[in-house]
Amino acid sequence: MRAVWLKEFGGPEVLVASDTPDPVAGPGQALVEVAFANITFVETQFRAGGFGPFKAELPMIPGNGVGGVVVAVGEGADDRLVGTRVVCGTGGSGGYAELAAVDAAGLIEVPDDVALDTAVALLADGRTAMWLLRTAALRPGERVLVEAAAGGVGGLLVQLARAAGATVIAAAGGAHKVGVARDLGADVAVDYRQADWTDRVRETGGGVDVVFDGVGGAIGRSAFDLLERRGRMLSFGMASGQWTGVSEEEATDRDVVLLRGAQLTPEASRAFTADALAETAAGRLRPTIGQRFPLERAADAHAAIQSRATVGKTLLVTGRSPSAGNPLDGA
């Protein structure tokens, strides 16, 4: 099979594709013929210097999420899984490849009405967005600010918050991304690269009740200052390179609830992903797949994400046709 290897930490160019022996499904595992691999911003940070939640030794095949068809199972796994379209996490390695051996217990079946690429786009971002929405406990009529609103998680939050009856203010970097957020249903969309972006938010109705903070740094700090008393700020990303610098004391003085990062059990992660897939199957949620790169160009995909040039989700495409054909796949 073809796979992308990380043999040393560094720039995107350290990701190199090569021929690799096929993996074998071990006890309790399933072998997935990968059609699409998920890429997250955290993976670019890990590639650059080993930062992140993944514990792996080099050399390794990176990639923490895939979608495809089960083609074999190991001892102790249900052989009825063979032929099933699935998405799943890999545990932090093995995703950038044409075949991946994964924990069979972690497989999530893809509904018939959802394409595999759509399902992979929801694998990490969907569960994060669903968890954020439930944790925020939005009430109809509240004003919600979504940072990085044209990104994978942000774009889903715009849709989910709007469906929950909130007034959604989208903040994104650059005119194109602002337009994407507006097309996703944001009531107000502003460019946080403009110095007066917080003034523009206040002009539309004052402060906000909830901030979904996907940028951190100075943008996150400015967003915190927009919060009304008894507001909630949920930080899920740091596209700026650092978390928002707000202390618990400051939050307490403003009577604001702060929450940073999701600590989900594997069971909760699968449940939230399944919920996102169900919302998509019902036509209520649509991920934006902004970029697709062939597996061989994983380095280019990482470079695009690092440069902030991407919109929505970025996927790697292996070129392998799913064994259990579905007319939606690859649409």
Side-chain angles (χ1 to χ4, degrees):
M1 69 171 185
R2 295 292 285 176
V4 174
W5 284 87
L6 174 65
K7 297 183 178 180
E8 60 180 326
F9 297 121
E13 68 280 356
V14 300
L15 296 173
V16 178
S18 65
D19 290 327
T20 304
D22 291 356
V24 176
Q29 288 189 321
L31 186 65
V32 176
E33 183 180 50
V34 178
F36 304 97
N38 173 46
I39 305 179
T40 64
F41 181 72
V42 170
E43 289 174 12
T44 70
Q45 295 176 304
F46 177 78
R47 183 220 71 238
F51 171 83
F54 313 125
K55 304 299 181 185
E57 295 184 2
L58 305 185
M60 63 175 287
I61 300 170
N64 192 42
V66 298
V69 173
V70 177
V71 292
V73 295
E75 181 182 355
D78 189 346
D79 58 11
R80 290 174 297 182
L81 290 169
V82 175
T84 304
R85 298 187 317 138
V86 298
V87 291
C88 58
T90 66
S93 63
Y96 296 0
E98 293 180 324
L99 293 166
V102 300
D103 180 7
L107 298 176
I108 302 167
E109 187 170 353
V110 178
D112 290 341
D113 293 337
V114 178
L116 266 175
D117 52 356
T118 296
V120 176
L122 289 167
L123 179 57
D125 294 347
R127 67 172 175 247
T128 300
M130 296 298 293
W131 174 80
L132 287 165
L133 183 81
R134 304 246 179 112
T135 303
L138 297 186
R139 295 182 287 272
E142 287 191 310
R143 283 168 55 84
V144 175
L145 174 65
V146 180
E147 300 170 17
V153 176
L156 298 176
L157 285 170
V158 168
Q159 299 171 66
L160 291 168
R162 181 72 183 273
T167 297
V168 180
I169 299 109
H176 175 60
K177 292 184 179 181
V178 167
V180 169
R182 187 178 292 114
D183 290 343
L184 288 171
D187 298 285
V188 177
V190 298
D191 184 351
Y192 56 53
R193 293 180 180 175
Q194 302 298 317
D196 64 345
W197 76 271
T198 55
D199 294 333
R200 293 191 57 201
V201 172
R202 290 194 182 279
E203 288 168 1
T204 66
V208 300
D209 302 294
V210 176
V211 170
F212 290 121
D213 171 30
V215 177
I219 300 301
R221 177 70 218 197
S222 296
F224 173 80
D225 292 338
L226 285 169
L227 277 166
E228 302 284 6
R229 295 192 69 83
R230 294 180 296 280
R232 291 95 78 198
M233 184 169 190
L234 295 89
S235 295
F236 63 91
M238 50 176 188
S240 65
Q242 58 186 331
W243 292 106
T244 296
V246 176
S247 69
E248 291 291 344
E249 291 75 18
E250 288 180 279
T252 299
D253 288 344
R254 291 268 302 280
D255 200 15
V256 166
V257 174
L258 292 180
L259 188 61
R260 177 181 295 168
Q263 299 296 323
L264 298 178
T265 65
E267 294 77 16
S269 292
R270 289 195 295 272
F272 281 124
T273 300
D275 288 345
L277 289 170
E279 288 295 295
T280 299
R284 293 188 291 265
L285 190 63
R286 175 175 57 88
T288 300
I289 302 175
Q291 304 75 218
R292 303 167 191 261
F293 289 85
L295 182 66
E296 305 278 335
R297 292 178 55 203
D300 292 339
H302 273 234
I305 293 172
Q306 266 189 210
S307 71
R308 307 295 193 273
T310 59
V311 172
K313 196 64 191 175
T314 302
L315 298 181
L316 287 182
V317 183
T318 68
R320 300 282 283 246
S321 299
S323 296
N326 184 304
L328 292 170
D329 291 337

